[in-house]
Amino acid sequence: MKYSTDETPWTAELEELRRAELYRVMPSVKQMPGRTIAVNEKIAINFSSNNYLGLAGHPDIAQAFVDCVTRYGAGSTASRLIAGNTEPHRALESFIAGWKGTEAALVFGSGYQANVGILSTLAGEGDLIVSDELNHASIIDGCRLSKARVMIYPHLDLSGLESILRLSGFRRRLVVTESIFSMDGDCAPLKEIDYLCRRWGALLMVDEAHATGVRGPQGQGLAAEHGVTPEIQMGTLGKAAGTSGAYVAGSRALVDLLTNKCRSLIYTTAAPPGIVGAALAALKIIVSPEGDRRRAQLKENTLKFYRAMNPGPGGLSGPSHIVPVRIGDSRKTVRVSEACLEQGIFAHGIRFPTVPEGTARLRFTLMSDHTEEDIIMAASVLENAMSMVEPTERTGKICL
Ligand code: PLP
């Protein structure tokens, strides 16, 4: 034995996390497809799910999953370039390309794999990646893995972005942003960013993880809503599509290059055919009138939530279905989240390093399945729980 049981090589690091109120434990969840969830044996209305359109429990999607597993087996058995490129993979990619109006599309096992692989393939030595300061960890890690120079612009700050784009001496410049930001729910000004990219000759990559299925015509995303066509359009299938995986849509050459060089695509077992078939079934619903109805209901629920949180005339509205309630202090955020759960509302506390230090928050996410009663209850439970925190201690208003 190299160390005693109470003194491991990691003890001090874990202690430090506990002291800083940043220690994490996975809650024990009994998944209940729909608006409710059982967390640590407590049943609550779920305001922490990315299942924005309620598709994770859709019977047609579950059936597509079963059909594919029956036909192709549980696993894909190999990487895409060896023996794992099954019929469902090809069908999903061709559907995505048609839906997004691009020459081609490529499916990944997850959004994390997609971002890490795309960025490290497309940018290398002599290149510049320009990244929003609040971009997701998978984008940050993709930047780190690439051998490119990485420069960060202040969140959504167009003049900050342009001042970086004015710099010369790089072989290729690539701007990367989320469309709807995962932890803040705000939207990138994609039209303006696209204009700057054209003006300064930079490529644009947009991560539509939280807008896929939810925004734009047929749920194509925020770029489509803004009338913008980035060269690299990435989106995920584990959120509004209720399944798992991710895609990039763009030119044939982009997909060919990634197929040949992207390490997170090449050196991993292909996503199981069942999940790929299920994702295709989800996208078929997303583009259908049922998808339109679910998007409209999500929009309506978002408005209702803002109204419930800001009653009276002149109540605030918000940019998206992701609503951060900023508290600031990590310990208090956890306490407020626990108090909400006690009263039947699950809104997970988000702390550093997922969000910048001192900006801990509850992240409320709306679903099309929420009822008016759920929303009213959430607002009143939140108000009650927030009374534990002095207003002066909060770093922001209840809503953005
Ligand atoms: N990009 C953004 C903006 C995200 O919020 C997430 C969330 O997890 C990802 C990428 C990663 O996607 P996945 O969960 O499919 O790995």
Side-chain angles (χ1 to χ4, degrees):
M1 190 78 157
K2 284 192 182 151
Y3 46 82
S4 73
T5 45
D6 51 341
E7 188 57 51
T8 74
W10 306 285
T11 304
E13 211 169 320
L14 288 168
E15 262 322 299
E16 183 49 40
L17 286 174
R18 283 199 188 88
R19 245 197 316 278
E21 293 290 338
L22 296 173
Y23 187 78
R24 299 174 186 220
V25 182
M26 292 185 200
S28 159
V29 168
K30 280 205 187 85
Q31 196 60 44
M32 304 163 79
R35 31 185 275 288
T36 48
I37 185 167
V39 187
N40 298 334
E41 303 302 325
K42 175 100 194 147
I43 293 185
I45 311 293
N46 191 355
F47 279 89
S48 282
S49 173
N50 298 326
N51 181 23
Y52 305 127
L53 299 179
L55 293 181
H58 197 293
D60 295 356
I61 299 173
Q63 190 57 51
F65 183 90
V66 171
D67 291 347
C68 275
V69 170
T70 310
R71 184 142 179 225
Y72 299 98
S76 61
T77 74
S79 67
R80 291 288 300 280
L81 284 167
I82 311 251
N85 187 32
T86 67
E87 208 178 319
H89 290 86
R90 294 195 300 278
L92 178 60
E93 287 173 349
S94 113
F95 188 90
I96 291 172
W99 169 55
K100 299 284 290 181
T102 55
E103 282 176 7
L106 187 62
V107 166
F108 288 79
S110 75
Y112 186 89
Q113 282 177 11
N115 279 339
V116 162
I118 294 166
L119 285 160
S120 57
T121 304
L122 299 186
E125 235 162 291
D127 296 333
L128 171 68
I129 302 180
V130 193
S131 177
D132 186 289
E133 71 173 322
L134 292 190
N135 274 342
H136 188 259
S138 54
I139 296 177
I140 296 171
D141 292 355
C143 292
R144 286 177 180 160
L145 257 188
S146 83
K147 296 199 176 83
R149 168 105 183 263
V150 179
M151 294 183 80
I152 310 296
Y153 61 97
H155 184 49
L156 307 182
D157 181 349
L158 292 169
S159 58
L161 169 61
E162 186 163 28
S163 64
I164 296 175
L165 286 176
R166 281 175 197 277
L167 300 174
S168 55
F170 298 98
R171 184 181 64 151
R172 191 183 293 150
R173 271 102 49 93
L174 190 158
V175 174
V176 57
T177 182
E178 294 179 37
S179 59
I180 296 180
F181 279 80
S182 61
M183 295 298 140
D184 288 75
D186 48 1
C187 299
L190 293 177
K191 242 194 164 94
E192 291 78 1
I193 293 176
D194 182 59
Y195 168 78
L196 290 179
C197 287
R198 284 167 192 279
R199 171 152 191 216
W200 296 101
L203 295 167
L204 176 57
M205 169 169 168
V206 175
D207 175 339
E208 299 261 27
H210 296 276
T212 297
V214 168
R215 297 290 284 264
Q218 295 190 312
Q220 283 169 40
L222 196 69
E225 185 177 307
H226 289 191
V228 166
T229 313
E231 287 84 0
I232 305 130
Q233 304 182 46
M234 178 269 182
T236 59
L237 302 164
K239 299 181 193 329
T243 53
S244 192
Y247 62 83
V248 62
S251 65
R252 180 80 255 161
L254 170 73
V255 167
D256 286 348
L257 184 76
L258 291 170
T259 305
N260 278 275
K261 288 195 148 178
C262 179
R263 295 168 69 85
S264 68
L265 176 91
I266 298 170
Y267 299 107
T268 189
T269 301
I275 202 69
V276 174
L280 177 57
L283 290 184
K284 285 183 178 167
I285 295 170
I286 280 173
V287 305
S288 74
E290 180 180 347
D292 289 335
R293 279 197 298 280
R294 286 174 183 263
R295 273 186 287 285
Q297 190 60 54
L298 177 63
K299 196 170 174 185
E300 178 66 27
N301 286 353
T302 302
L303 283 174
K304 281 184 186 153
F305 188 65
Y306 273 98
R307 259 185 248 128
M309 303 261 272
N310 304 279
L316 288 171
S317 181
S320 80
H321 54 290
I322 299 171
V323 185
V325 177
R326 298 221 184 93
I327 295 168
D329 178 78
S330 294
R331 187 174 48 84
K332 286 176 186 150
T333 302
V334 172
R335 270 178 48 217
V336 174
S337 172
E338 285 169 356
C340 285
L341 185 58
E342 267 314 301
Q343 297 171 67
I345 295 294
F346 180 49
H348 194 60
I350 310 283
R351 296 170 284 168
F352 177 80
T354 306
V355 293
E357 237 164 327
T359 71
R361 66 198 66 178
L362 301 194
R363 173 182 180 264
F364 279 78
T365 51
L366 278 300
M367 291 168 62
S368 56
D369 285 4
H370 284 136
T371 65
E372 184 146 10
E373 291 73 40
D374 296 339
I375 291 167
I376 291 167
M377 176 176 161
S380 105
V381 162
L382 175 63
E383 197 180 322
N384 203 344
M386 287 291 269
S387 62
M388 296 164 42
V389 181
E390 290 297 319
T392 49
E393 291 177 301
R394 299 174 200 158
T395 55
K397 292 185 203 159
I398 282 197
C399 303
L400 277 177

